Structure formats: C-alpha cells, structure tokens
Amino acid sequence: GDSVTQMEGPVTLSEEAFLTINCTYTATGYPSLFWYVQYPGEGLQLLLKATKADDKGSNKGFEATYRKETTSFHLEKGSVQVSDSAVYFCALGFQGGSEKLVFGKGTKLTVNP
Amino acid sequence: ETGVTQSPTHLIKTRGQQVTLRCSSQSGHNTVSWYQQALGQGPQFIFQYYREEENGRGNFPPRFSGLQFPNYSSELNVNALELDDSALYLCASTPGGANTGELFFGEGSRLTVL
C-alpha cells in the first residue's frame, strides 16, 4: 500500500542553521506530495506541495522538490528561526479521488536562539 | 472567515462506552474528512463525507461511523470503545470537488479511553 517514511526526530537546531528533513514515499500511480506543519497549540496546516515530478514547492523560505527517481520529497530551509519550531509531516495524496492523505509519522523541530 | 472548529477538545471515556465528536467545517466547505492521530504517529484517514454521503473510507472497523448534516457540519461516532482508540481525532474540511490536497484542519479532540 501507499506509505510515507520521514526522518525520525526530534531535531534540534540553532537559529540560522540549515534544515533538512528527509521524506521518501511508496505509492502506486503518481501522487501529489505535501508538507504539513503543526505549530504548538494549532491545527495542521499546509506548508507546501508539489503535484508532479520535478516540481518544487516553496513557502515561508521552505522548499521541497518532487524527485520521482528517488521517490523523495525532502524539506529544506536555509536559515531556520525560533518561530519554525513545530512538528512537520510529509504526506501524499491523489488528485481526483477522495481527500485521503497518507501521512508520515512527523518530525519535531526545535530551534534554539 | 471561520475556521474548522471541533468539540469537545478533551474527553475521557471507559472501555465499551460510545463517543460522539463534532466538527464545524470552514465556511464554504462542503467536504469533511476525519483522521485519527495516535501519540507519536501521523494522522490516519478514517473517512470522508461529501454532501452528506460517505465517499471514502480508510482501514477502520464499522464501529467508527459518521454523519454530515445539511449545513456541512459533521459527527464522528465510535462505539464499543477500546483502549487503542485513545488518540487525537482531527477533522478537516475542503471546498467540494477541489481535490487539491489542501485540507483545513481543526485543532482536534483528544480522546482518552481508560
């Protein structure tokens, strides 16, 4: 079945450090890929997405590129801030069907000043 | 614009009991999905409702059931509660037919089963 595997956490960084959170997927067909973020005390919200191979999603300084050849969608940010502290979830879904998303287990990021 | 709201935020039940969780979808959204998020895990899809009918279901037993009302609000019902049902239950809404993958989540209802 479809699945998402993401880097185990927690991840602790200093402010302005470079961030990478790895995500790989297994899917039949051609999924869309997403990163969702859950800030403390808030609901999950979409951070960025990519709908086909080689697409790059970007938002708030975060980027991820849909790599079909390596079935990956790694999240990166060049310089993290304290306000980026949150739990990040990689997910996949299919256009045209139900709004079912398959999520990874989440990676907790803490950024220290 | 009103976001997705869920109630109650926390509740405690005992094994064998039944629970009803409620969700008001974001204004203008007619599709509602429910997810279960166990501690330390990602959300798992339970089912989705569109125009008051279930139109997608994950790998959950029939004792997990739902309803969607004409105003697009929704309920998740779980019968014969088991200890493993302890989790955060998330409701998400989307504009009907969009299928963009952008779900708008509520903050969830945390259920503890003793």
Side-chain angles (χ1 to χ4, degrees), chain A residues 32-36 46 48-49 73 89-93 101, chain B residues 100-101:
Chain A
S32 296
L33 301 174
F34 308 88
W35 278 99
Y36 274 78
L46 180 66
L48 54 83
K49 70 176 185 180
F73 193 55
F89 293 90
C90 185
L92 66 82
L101 295 182
Chain B
T100 63

Side-chain angles (χ1 to χ4, degrees), chain B residues 12-75:
Chain B
I12 299 173
K13 293 285 188 178
T14 56
R15 273 186 305 174
Q17 285 189 312
Q18 179 266 343
V19 69
T20 297
L21 307 178
R22 295 179 175 83
C23 171
S24 293
S25 59
Q26 184 159 320
S27 176
H29 290 185
N30 61 11
T31 301
V32 173
S33 305
W34 285 90
Y35 286 78
Q36 181 196 64
Q37 186 178 8
L39 196 62
Q41 303 295 316
Q44 283 198 302
F45 177 75
I46 303 175
F47 45 53
Q48 175 181 296
Y49 279 82
Y50 173 62
R51 292 185 176 177
E52 302 177 55
E53 290 197 3
E54 184 181 299
N55 76 336
R57 188 176 183 94
N59 189 26
F60 281 81
R63 60 190 184 83
F64 285 77
S65 63
L67 283 173
Q68 186 181 31
F69 300 100
N71 66 354
Y72 305 132
S73 65
S74 177
E75 286 183 355

